[in-house]
Amino acid sequence: MKKIGIKNKFVCISNRDNLFHNKKNFNNYRNSKFEKLDMTIKYLKKKNYQIVRMGYYKKFKHKNYLSIQELSKNEKDLADLILPSVAEFSVCGVSGLNYVSRLFNKYSIIHNFVPYNLAGGLGKSIIIPKLITRKKKKLNYSQLNKINSFQIQA
């Protein structure tokens, strides 16, 4: 933890994008842009949390969070498992990382959540569903059910 600069209480934060699975259309409906978490990061920093960005992503320095990207591959993989177990909580996209917090019975916020039928058994998680649009209009749950979005298949 010292190697990446963790000194205080911290939150693990991640999103899912196409960098881990660099395959076109490989569950890309679950992807989100990390920049959309900027307000969340700023809020948490005001509450004196350190932010640790988890997972695989392009290397770049960012003043608002600590990064595991400077670690070796083995250290990154280990950090993805260990850091959520000691973090105050995690903010995760729909990826394998959101299961780590649950494994250690920790609180998590799962953003951009879809498919909705997977919401059962999420332990101490708060779900923020993905907004789905059709013809530039946001769909409500009744409309989603009619188009069977609760059963999205990979």
Side-chain angles (χ1 to χ4, degrees), residues 12-26:
C12 295
I13 193 163
S14 66
N15 68 306
R16 183 189 190 281
D17 60 23
N18 64 350
L19 292 177
F20 184 73
H21 286 292
N22 198 12
K23 299 175 186 174
K24 193 168 186 152
N25 296 325
F26 183 80

Side-chain angles (χ1 to χ4, degrees), residues 2-145:
K2 287 180 185 178
K3 193 170 185 177
I4 59 174
I6 298 172
K7 298 174 186 155
N8 303 315
K9 64 182 182 178
F10 69 97
V11 173
C12 295
I13 193 163
S14 66
N15 68 306
R16 183 189 190 281
D17 60 23
N18 64 350
L19 292 177
F20 184 73
H21 286 292
N22 198 12
K23 299 175 186 174
K24 193 168 186 152
N25 296 325
F26 183 80
N27 292 334
N28 64 353
Y29 61 88
R30 298 182 337 184
N31 292 349
S32 63
K33 294 182 179 176
F34 191 78
E35 296 77 31
K36 291 192 175 196
L37 297 169
D38 281 346
M39 285 180 21
T40 302
I41 291 170
K42 288 176 185 172
Y43 174 81
L44 291 170
K45 287 193 65 82
K46 283 182 186 175
K47 297 291 183 183
N48 296 316
Y49 287 101
Q50 284 188 287
I51 308 301
V52 180
R53 186 170 183 190
M54 307 297 292
Y56 289 84
Y57 50 90
K58 290 180 184 175
K59 292 182 184 181
F60 63 93
K61 295 286 184 193
H62 196 287
K63 65 180 180 180
N64 284 327
Y65 61 81
L66 302 171
S67 171
I68 66 168
Q69 288 303 311
E70 302 305 320
L71 302 175
S72 71
K73 183 186 179 330
N74 288 342
E75 289 172 324
K76 279 191 267 192
D77 290 343
L78 195 57
D80 278 341
L81 289 173
I82 292 175
L83 292 179
S85 76
V86 294
E88 296 292 316
F89 61 94
S90 296
V91 178
C92 306
V94 183
S95 70
L97 283 175
N98 75 55
Y99 291 96
V100 178
S101 297
R102 287 186 277 156
L103 178 67
F104 294 104
N105 201 30
K106 301 290 277 192
Y107 289 98
S108 65
I109 299 169
I110 305 174
H111 63 88
N112 205 49
F113 193 87
V114 69
Y116 305 115
N117 65 328
L118 297 179
L122 293 177
K124 296 179 176 180
S125 299
I126 295 172
I127 302 299
I128 301 173
K130 179 178 183 124
L131 295 176
I132 297 179
T133 59
R134 185 172 268 182
K135 297 179 184 173
K136 298 184 181 182
K137 286 187 169 185
K138 293 177 188 169
L139 301 180
N140 63 34
Y141 286 116
S142 177
Q143 293 164 321
L144 291 169
N145 195 32

